[in-house]
Amino acid sequence: MSNSQNSLHTVSVIGTGAYLPEKVVTNDDLAKVVDTNDEWIFSRTGMRERRIAREDQATSDLAAEAAKAALRDAGVSADEVDLLIVATLSPDMFFPSTACFVQEKIGAKNAYCYDLGAACSGSLFAIETAKNQIACGVVKTALVIGAEKMSTFLNWEDRGTCVLFGDGAGSVVLQATGAEHGIMKGTFGSDGSMAHLLQTPGGGSRNPMTHEMLNRKEQYLTMGGRDVYKHAVKQMTQSVQDALELNSLTSDEIKCFVAHQANARIIEAIGMRLDVMDRMFMNVEKYANTSAAALMIAVDEVVKSGDVKQGDLILLVAFGGGFTWGATVVEWTKGTA
Ligand code: ACO
């Protein structure tokens, strides 16, 4: 486990944005495709519906819309962006990076661009990466996007996985500000020995794209649901405690806890263990699990809800394939000179 160091400059989130595809797919809709029902899905996951992107939309299209919304919110033009990171596990292609496609789509011609792969924790890792580059003076303005077209990578014949995910994108703009804290210290970790529990096993160099691989449907996401559940609850609970301790905070000082929106039962279990259920944000009912996009979409909803005021602290916590995990405290500083 590594902990981020003190920043040279305070770095803040100065704008947020999100994009959700128009098409809503309900649990009842899924029951027409696989042997499932609304009661099973809702009681185990808290999900009622999810958004599914159009066939002609790639992950970069979702990302570009979220990015434009975040830039508008920040009052920053695309050509001011120095660094553009897309966190995704459903890239447009293996290469070039989805970030380069987004650059072209939004006109961020002065940015250097790359993707970051840490599954559902990706956008949290990307925020930390961007924060540190701003703090060290490498870049001035960073655009971080979490974007997923999960629907492309799901086996629509596997009821155990296809009901759990959705498509979408969220984005934040980061800059150094005169705020007191901004993005505070974070805690991050990974455990590669658990990789088999959550992965897309086929299509890469280990298990290349062959007819046999495709027939085995290994190009789709697989998951050991119960094990993932246990580890996600345990690790995200621990990460919240670690982040609070690192920043010498108590849970009472946090206005809102925003966890990766994997599953309502996971979020509730964390909220109960930490006795903060009244402040746990949840939108998994509407969008299901949008992987790296989920945290960014949630942050956008939280700050746009009006419940979070300047100076309030938001705690972000994520967990995903790898396994990967982390937690960061963000002082909401929008409006600070
Ligand atoms: N509809 C109806 N029945 C289903 C469905 C479905 N969509 N999916 C599975 N079932 C059946 C199974 O076939 C099984 O039937 P059987 O007993 O006859 O064999 C039964 O339901 C129980 O299956 P389990 O997988 O044991 O169900 P469980 O209670 O563990 O719930 C779930 C499954 C919801 C996936 C749970 O394990 C979970 O929440 N895991 C966390 C996984 C997660 O959130 N992953 C997201 C990615 S990770 C991340 O983002 C952090």
Side-chain angles (χ1 to χ4, degrees), residues 34-37 40-41 44-45 47 120 159-161 163-165 198 221 223-230 232 236 260-263 265-266 289 291 319-321:
V34 285
D35 182 13
T36 190
N37 56 72
W40 192 97
I41 300 172
R44 283 171 178 78
T45 69
M47 297 166 191
C120 305
R159 65 180 182 172
T161 53
V163 304
L164 301 174
F165 297 91
L198 193 50
L221 180 147
M223 182 181 71
R226 292 206 165 177
D227 285 330
V228 171
Y229 180 93
K230 277 188 269 173
M236 280 198 276
H260 168 52
Q261 303 289 304
N263 178 317
R265 286 195 312 171
I266 292 178
N289 181 350
S291 185
F319 180 88

Side-chain angles (χ1 to χ4, degrees), residues 17 24 44 53 81 88 119 137 153 174 206 219 221 230 246 252 256 263 277 290 296 323-324 337:
V24 175
R44 283 171 178 78
V81 175
T88 187
F153 297 91
L174 307 184
R206 182 180 298 201
Q219 70 274 33
L221 180 147
K230 277 188 269 173
L246 256 182
D252 292 344
C256 184
N263 178 317
M277 198 53 224
T290 57
M296 300 287 87
F323 287 149
T324 55

